[in-house]
Amino acid sequence: MFARLLTCLLSLLTVTAEEIYFTDFDNHPVGNNEWVGYDDWLGTEDTNGVNFIDDNAFNGSLGNSAGLGLERPNNRRVSVLKILNHDHVETGEGVIEIETLISIKDSDNDFRDDFYFSIFNSTGGNPIASIRFDNEDPEATNTRFGIWREDGQNQFDTQVNFIHEELYDLFICIDLNANTWSADLSGLPLFSNETFTSSVSGSDINLGIVGYEWQLSSPLTLSYGNNFLLVGDLRVTSVNNDVTPVDLLLSINENAEPVLEWEGKGGFTYQVEYCDDLLNWKDDLPNSVLTPGLSSGSIIFTDVTSPPLTKRFYRVITKAP
């Protein structure tokens, strides 16, 4: 009776990811002015030690890391940039994922400055969006200390603060087709599905350049904060979603529970989702995130929902490593 009434829709949504860029800075020499000029990194300044490579951060656990700040700059705003020029219309890969390890060292003088992770368009190289770490004194009146989202024209307080000398994993997901983006800081949401940029629209929105920036709070370079931004690494990937059929086997065990089985690929992670109406998919089944590990092999999932089901639809989502 149960086996006749149970309906299963089994499909595999494959998310293919292509790495656009990755660095861990281990190929850079250690010292002042060693970030700009290696691995095609560009900078608005390559003197005075305002960019540097360090191998002692966090007791050397990061290997080489890059830094921006600390010394007196020649200009109020200093940028270190990486050209990517990803055309999402041509490639069909409109979702961009960016992950970077960062930390901010506070000033021990009387000045505190802003640090940015910024994104620039391919056309004209104009800035189109940023996440700003405002390092104003958190105890000051009407302080702006904290993390801000900028869309090229407007700025918005995320209401999230940061801790100095704490190592954070900043993760950004951009949908260039929908002109939206989301971000979290070590798993803490900063914002979700907000407008990515108000500067351009349509197919003109592209991922041209990414960069880290330092802006002095004072108009005078003499009044610079000896704060700095530390960068552990940067990874940028493009993502394309395709629905691909796979051989999935449904069976019913001795407890009248549905059992799904499919051949998994090494390194991939799989999520079993379900619904009752083919509209509202859910992913809260116990132990429904699975992986075969580094080797390919059979994956088995049992839906232990109680009481026994009369109808349920399933699908399996997988993400490339």
Side-chain angles (χ1 to χ4, degrees), residues 19 33 55 97 111 130 197 211 220 228 242 257 285 310 315:
E19 186 174 273
N33 311 312
D55 60 356
E97 294 182 349
F111 306 103
S130 297
T197 180
L220 303 176
F228 63 86
D242 296 304
E257 298 165 335
L285 291 174
T310 57
R315 69 182 182 185

Side-chain angles (χ1 to χ4, degrees), residues 108-160:
D108 55 18
N109 57 24
D110 293 330
F111 306 103
R112 290 182 170 90
D113 306 318
D114 294 348
F115 295 94
Y116 296 74
F117 181 83
S118 297
I119 301 165
F120 302 79
N121 209 25
S122 296
T123 305
N126 297 317
I128 52 178
S130 297
I131 294 178
R132 184 176 94 244
F133 292 81
D134 193 309
N135 197 34
E136 186 176 352
D137 182 357
E139 302 300 324
T141 303
N142 298 321
T143 182
R144 298 167 65 86
F145 176 82
I147 304 173
W148 295 70
R149 169 177 61 90
E150 301 185 359
D151 65 4
Q153 294 183 3
N154 304 296
Q155 57 182 342
F156 307 89
D157 190 351
T158 68
Q159 303 296 318
V160 177

Side-chain angles (χ1 to χ4, degrees), residues 158-235:
T158 68
Q159 303 296 318
V160 177
N161 293 333
F162 59 91
I163 300 173
H164 294 111
E165 299 184 56
E166 183 87 5
L167 185 64
Y168 289 107
D169 185 351
L170 175 63
F171 178 79
I172 301 169
C173 183
I174 307 167
D175 188 332
L176 294 170
N177 293 312
N179 192 25
T180 59
W181 64 329
S182 304
D184 67 61
L185 195 70
S186 296
L188 178 66
L190 298 178
F191 53 87
S192 180
N193 292 321
E194 297 289 352
T195 298
F196 172 53
T197 180
S198 297
S199 301
V200 289
S201 61
S203 60
D204 292 332
I205 303 173
N206 264 305
L207 179 71
I209 302 170
V210 297
Y212 303 87
E213 299 188 280
W214 172 30
Q215 178 158 318
L216 306 189
S217 57
S218 170
L220 303 176
T221 61
L222 181 64
S223 303
Y224 70 95
N226 60 359
N227 39 205
F228 63 86
L229 172 68
L230 187 78
V231 181
D233 59 26
L234 169 68
R235 183 187 299 274

Side-chain angles (χ1 to χ4, degrees), residues 258-262 272 285-290 299-304 314:
V259 179
L260 312 181
E261 183 175 359
W262 67 94
V272 177
L285 291 174
N287 304 313
S288 59
V289 178
L290 308 101
I299 297 181
I300 298 175
F301 172 78
T302 301
D303 185 352
V304 296
Y314 297 92

